[in-house]
Amino acid sequence: MMIAASNSAAPSTWVEKLAAPLKAALQHPWVESIVRLSAVEDTLRSLHPMLSLTEVRAQVVRIVDETADTKTFVLQPNALWHGRHGEHGPRAGQFVQLRLEINGRRVERIYSLSSRPGARLLAVTVKRQAGGLVSPHLHEHLKVGDVITIGQADGDFTLPTLLPAKMLLLSAGSGITPVMSMLRDLKARNYQGDVVFMHVCRNPAEFIFAKELLSTANRFPALSLLLHFDDSVGRFTPDSLQSAVPDLGERATWMCGPSGFMDAVEGHWATNNLTAPLKSERFVAIPMLPTTSPGTPVTVMLALSGEQFVTSGNAPLLEQAEKAGLSPKHGCRIGICRSCQCTKKSGTVENLQTGELSSMPNEQIRLCISVARTDLSLDL
Amino acid sequence: MSFAKPTHLTRQQVDDFEREVDAIRASVMNDLGQSDVDHIRRMIRICRASEVGGRALLHFGVGPLSWVAGVLALANAKILDNMEIGHNVMHGQYDWTGDPALNSQKFEWDIACDGEQWRHSHNVTHHTYTNILGKDRDLGYSLLRMTDAQKWKPRHWLQPMANLMLAAGFQYGVGSHDLEIGKYTHGAISKPEFKARLNRFLTKTAKQWFKDYLLFPALALWSAPRVLAGNFCANLIRNLWTYVVIFCGHFTDGVAIYREEDTRNETRGDWYLRQLSGSSNLEGGRVFHILTGHLSHQIEHHLFPDMPAHRYLEVAPKIRLLCVKYGLLYNTGSLYSQYKTVMKRILTHTLPPKNATTSPA
Ligand code: FES
């Protein structure tokens, strides 16, 4: 999963222009008391799964096996998708949010687009994460014809309109997806400069997009393809990068891969005072229940009010917030009424009644029976 | 009537009881999944179809039979929306799904009671202070005298009438509940605060009237009276039904009433015991349970207010066994037999206490 923040502009398709006032009217409190928006949406969905006033939905039209544990899902979006054309369409390197319901629970993950911007269809390439929740589900259950909900393309890991003369696209593992999209874009834009595409993975069997990359290398003169297979030439280091790409300091670089890989490259940039721009997209795994012991001070960010406070993680969040001079809504204070419920955007909390730790993003928690076990961000 | 002693159990037994109830809760809560969401969505679909069908029969049907069918279908929709869907969703039983249409804090239902006010009067006041005299305002709905501990006043001679009116207009009783008129007249609530609450209640009521008594009749053109009467009757049926179910859940024979001082420093085990002794169940079939919003399992609902209600069926036998083990009353019976005891209670407390000088308790 990648995290990047950007505020994309709000363009609209013609369908959106029609749907938006309808949606606004349906959300008017008086109208809502006659017919709920959710009822309208359900009815539309039962007419056709792609019909919606509020959601970008996309139908799976093709599933491509890339490697043993990687699949590309080719999706046909509905008309609320922000255009294939023009500046508001998706840009190479951006991601989309996929929303699924797994065993009754709504889950959201973001995946880089691997398709070329402007393409009629979009594609995400997903590596199956052992022990993960979403990627195995996608691999096992998503079939051609299924309809899922997606977000608009977002993220600022993108190519500029004016392309530099020398570029490096650097990726490791499944980090290849956004830079692959960039390469497809370069090709479509008939890039005349000099681009090095370097990809690192364990062995040829794990090389995602191998066929396409190799054939592109043959036919696209601007591209030099460099491959690093750890199993045959040893672990990748910044030195191996430096020796493979001697003019590293002159190349504007876009990089995506696991954290360790990117830390190493960024370190190399810093120690050698390389001045060429280095842009990267981070893979941030969903925090897997870190165990901060009770009493460790943590920071609670309130995203809506912009306030924050520090708590020792001993007493319930409601109490701690009140001690910090805030006054969140509450009722029973013993976990029954849910007046104190709010969305936890990120972080880990412990439920004092069940002792359960949970790190799910965008989860509903009750402040009166939750204690912070990591830094938190709450929608308050 | 005497107050319930917190319990005859020893501290150790109460703690054991707490652990056993917790374990029952955990076994279900850890097992929530697709079938639970499917259940509530199916209910929502049935409710919607029933409303559309009912309104269509009222608008386009001819003759009294289609009118009766229309009323029943619309009443059915309103009952489902209030009980199995609204009540349960607003308790947070489906918050774990992450679906905004099932979010407890956002849900609004087809009844004169404003959702936000209900969340306060019901989820906070009633479920936290269940059957504590002076704190649980559901006890007699500030209208009826349900126990000897409530002071008898001459107006209680009219109690049987008041009961009937409350039953017929139950949605307004529930809707105005959070106004706390008594508190306001005693000066415990400020005027602006009271006005804001009143405004909320009136706005919601106006919305309901607009829909049922103005818009839909007007849309029916010459069938307007037929539609208006149909909507009125559907609301009436729903009111009577919800009234009966709720009264049978708390005011039957054997339901315990507590004093505030007896419930101070309650542990969760004590709280469970109070919820158990303050509620009573109804027996019936699957459809009956659904139409009550599973408040036929009031006991299980009060123990686990945020557990998806259709799971109470599988939990009930376990709670019943616990009651046998710990020697506690599991108050259950048919609708008829339970309501008989409710009526008896309302009628007995209509009369002034025989020995008017004895102080309560
Ligand atoms: S205050 Fe009632 S659940 Fe937290």
Side-chain angles (χ1 to χ4, degrees):
Chain A
M1 178 168 116
M2 270 146 273
I3 294 195
S6 100
N7 356 316
S8 52
S12 51
T13 63
W14 64 270
V15 176
E16 236 182 329
K17 285 194 186 105
L18 280 179
L22 205 56
K23 177 181 148 195
L26 282 166
Q27 279 171 323
H28 187 281
W30 279 78
V31 181
E32 210 165 33
S33 70
I34 299 164
V35 53
R36 291 180 196 132
L37 178 59
S38 58
V40 176
E41 282 285 290
D42 284 355
T43 311
L44 288 175
R45 189 200 297 265
S46 58
L47 290 175
H48 191 284
M50 293 278 269
L51 276 183
S52 169
L53 292 173
T54 56
E55 290 185 335
V56 183
R57 302 220 186 100
Q59 186 162 39
V60 182
V61 292
R62 202 167 62 243
I63 299 175
V64 184
D65 288 311
E66 302 286 355
T67 66
D69 59 1
T70 310
K71 286 184 179 184
T72 292
F73 300 91
V74 184
L75 305 168
Q76 162 89 64
N78 71 4
L80 291 184
W81 172 250
H82 282 168
R84 315 171 220 139
H85 312 292
E87 51 179 318
H88 295 306
R91 295 165 55 197
Q94 288 193 309
F95 55 79
V96 284
Q97 185 181 59
L98 264 53
R99 188 201 297 154
L100 309 153
E101 197 172 284
I102 301 180
N103 203 11
R105 285 178 171 81
R106 180 182 281 215
V107 286
E108 288 156 353
R109 291 287 187 279
I110 45 188
Y111 291 101
S112 295
L113 285 167
S114 52
S115 49
R116 172 180 66 81
R120 200 172 55 81
L121 303 170
L122 52 124
V124 289
T125 302
V126 179
K127 181 172 177 186
R128 184 195 177 105
Q129 306 289 341
L133 174 67
V134 177
S135 60
H137 182 90
L138 289 171
H139 273 242
E140 279 156 35
H141 299 289
L142 204 60
K143 306 179 302 294
V144 169
D146 284 356
V147 172
I148 58 171
T149 301
I150 64 173
Q152 299 289 356
D154 200 359
D156 53 9
F157 181 66
T158 53
L159 290 179
T161 340
L162 205 65
L163 295 166
K166 283 179 130 187
M167 299 169 63
L168 168 64
L169 302 179
L170 179 60
S171 63
S174 55
I176 194 171
T177 54
V179 289
M180 188 63 195
S181 170
M182 288 176 174
L183 181 69
R184 287 172 172 157
D185 191 33
L186 291 179
K187 221 172 90 188
R189 284 156 79 173
N190 198 15
Y191 177 63
Q192 299 288 333
D194 167 6
V195 55
V196 171
F197 192 117
M198 180 160 188
H199 180 61
V200 180
C201 59
R202 235 166 268 154
N203 50 51
E206 295 198 352
F207 181 14
I208 305 169
F209 304 126
K211 242 172 84 189
E212 183 181 345
L213 259 176
L214 293 171
S215 79
T216 305
N218 284 335
R219 285 176 301 144
F220 185 36
L223 171 68
S224 340
L225 179 63
L226 300 175
L227 296 172
H228 181 107
F229 298 123
D230 286 347
D231 285 356
S232 45
V233 293
R235 220 182 138 71
F236 170 88
T237 62
D239 291 336
S240 40
L241 172 66
Q242 183 69 61
S243 57
V245 189
D247 55 353
L248 204 54
E250 297 161 30
R251 290 184 181 271
T253 300
W254 282 263
M255 157 174 79
C256 185
S259 277
F261 165 82
M262 298 207 292
D263 289 344
V265 174
E266 276 165 5
H268 183 75
W269 240 254
T271 48
N272 295 291
N273 290 320
L274 297 184
T275 50
L278 172 66
K279 268 202 133 195
S280 58
E281 182 87 312
R282 287 252 154 203
F283 279 73
V284 181
I286 302 273
M288 291 310 290
L289 306 177
T291 44
T292 333
S293 56
T296 317
V298 294
T299 307
V300 180
M301 291 278 308
L302 307 182
L304 291 184
S305 65
E307 300 185 68
Q308 66 177 66
F309 63 93
V310 175
T311 136
S312 67
N314 273 331
L317 281 162
L318 179 63
E319 236 170 76
Q320 300 273 5
E322 285 170 343
K323 245 187 229 155
L326 307 169
S327 43
K329 201 175 151 217
H330 67 269
C332 65
R333 309 186 77 98
I334 49 172
I336 308 160
C337 69
R338 292 189 184 247
S339 312
C340 64
Q341 183 160 288
C342 70
T343 308
K344 180 201 70 193
K345 296 174 64 163
S346 64
T348 301
V349 291
E350 182 181 335
N351 180 323
L352 287 172
Q353 285 186 345
T354 61
E356 219 174 301
L357 284 168
S358 83
S359 311
M360 293 259 285
N362 291 325
E363 163 185 54
Q364 307 286 320
I365 62 162
R366 280 166 278 176
L367 296 177
C368 67
I369 53 160
S370 303
V371 288
R373 284 283 170 263
T374 62
D375 289 352
L376 296 181
S377 167
L378 305 176
D379 238 344
L380 270 183
Chain B
M1 158 118 251
S2 57
F3 287 103
K5 272 216 304 286
T7 172
H8 62 274
L9 302 176
T10 64
R11 193 71 257 154
Q12 183 57 47
Q13 285 174 310
V14 174
D15 293 347
D16 291 344
F17 179 74
E18 171 183 321
R19 249 190 312 281
E20 296 203 50
V21 177
D22 276 347
I24 293 175
R25 175 188 161 85
S27 71
V28 175
M29 297 309 263
N30 294 334
D31 180 52
L32 297 181
Q34 198 62 49
S35 62
D36 300 279
V37 200
D38 290 346
H39 167 80
I40 195 71
R41 294 207 177 120
R42 190 179 324 125
M43 291 301 133
I44 291 173
R45 276 199 304 277
I46 293 173
C47 171
R48 227 174 258 153
S50 190
E51 171 163 4
V52 171
R55 293 204 187 273
L57 280 166
L58 290 175
H59 282 241
F60 308 114
V62 266
L65 252 154
S66 68
W67 183 83
V68 171
V71 168
L72 290 180
L74 188 55
N76 177 56
K78 284 182 181 267
I79 286 171
L80 280 176
D81 182 79
N82 277 192
M83 310 285 271
E84 182 66 356
I85 303 166
H87 171 268
N88 291 338
V89 166
M90 282 155 84
H91 260 296
Q93 296 181 359
Y94 297 93
D95 280 345
W96 56 272
T97 62
D99 181 345
L102 301 176
N103 184 296
S104 62
Q105 306 304 302
K106 292 185 201 143
F107 197 86
E108 189 59 64
W109 50 358
D110 180 16
I111 173 177
C113 182
D114 174 80
E116 194 59 39
Q117 293 190 321
W118 184 81
R119 282 189 275 269
H120 181 256
S121 65
H122 184 84
N123 287 1
V124 181
T125 312
H126 172 57
H127 272 272
T128 314
Y129 305 114
T130 314
N131 282 21
I132 301 178
L133 192 68
K135 294 213 90 177
D136 179 4
R137 304 183 49 260
D138 278 25
L139 260 179
Y141 284 80
S142 332
L143 200 66
L144 304 179
R145 182 169 172 266
M146 304 302 283
T147 144
D148 288 348
Q150 286 165 309
K151 218 175 136 203
W152 186 87
K153 291 177 192 153
R155 73 172 162 93
H156 288 126
W157 282 121
L158 297 176
Q159 179 146 304
M161 271 299 289
N163 175 52
L164 220 71
M165 277 168 53
L166 178 64
F170 197 57
Q171 59 170 334
Y172 306 109
V174 174
S176 60
H177 203 34
D178 202 41
L179 298 179
E180 307 195 61
I181 297 173
K183 253 191 180 172
Y184 171 61
T185 49
H186 286 97
I189 293 178
S190 71
K191 195 161 182 178
E193 166 66 19
F194 179 73
K195 270 196 159 160
R197 293 191 193 185
L198 184 65
N199 198 13
R200 251 198 124 105
F201 166 55
L202 292 179
T203 308
K204 183 68 202 284
T205 304
K207 280 179 187 168
Q208 293 298 103
W209 285 18
F210 172 73
K211 172 171 74 168
D212 280 341
Y213 303 138
L214 210 69
L215 177 71
F216 281 120
L219 286 174
L221 303 174
W222 55 87
S223 295
R226 181 186 152 93
V227 169
L228 192 134
N231 292 354
F232 179 82
C233 288
N235 278 317
L236 181 67
I237 293 172
R238 187 266 322 271
N239 287 351
L240 293 171
W241 175 248
T242 47
Y243 154 85
V244 169
V245 170
I246 289 176
F247 270 53
C248 284
H250 289 298
F251 306 135
T252 51
D253 223 10
V255 160
I257 292 177
Y258 289 81
R259 271 182 310 204
E260 210 181 329
E261 54 265 41
D262 293 332
T263 61
R264 249 170 239 146
N265 303 321
E266 261 184 348
T267 64
R268 190 154 76 248
D270 296 325
W271 187 82
Y272 279 145
L273 286 168
R274 176 157 58 84
Q275 302 300 328
L276 172 72
S277 62
S279 317
S280 49
N281 278 9
L282 296 169
E283 282 158 5
R286 175 118 199 276
V287 175
F288 174 78
H289 291 313
I290 288 174
L291 288 176
T292 66
H294 290 92
L295 293 179
S296 50
H297 288 87
Q298 191 74 246
I299 293 174
E300 288 73 23
H301 174 59
H302 262 269
L303 292 173
F304 313 118
D306 60 357
M307 175 187 290
H310 71 127
R311 294 293 195 110
Y312 296 155
L313 272 84
E314 72 184 71
V315 166
K318 299 184 190 164
I319 297 295
R320 214 169 167 158
L321 273 180
L322 274 190
C323 285
V324 174
K325 180 168 167 191
Y326 289 89
L328 300 161
L329 171 69
Y330 188 87
N331 187 337
T332 183
S334 70
L335 181 71
Y336 176 71
S337 66
Q338 291 287 55
Y339 190 66
K340 234 174 36 190
T341 71
V342 173
M343 242 1 247
K344 194 172 138 218
R345 193 157 169 179
I346 291 173
L347 293 177
T348 349
H349 292 102
T350 298
L351 309 170
K354 287 207 187 75
N355 186 352
T357 49
T358 9
S359 65

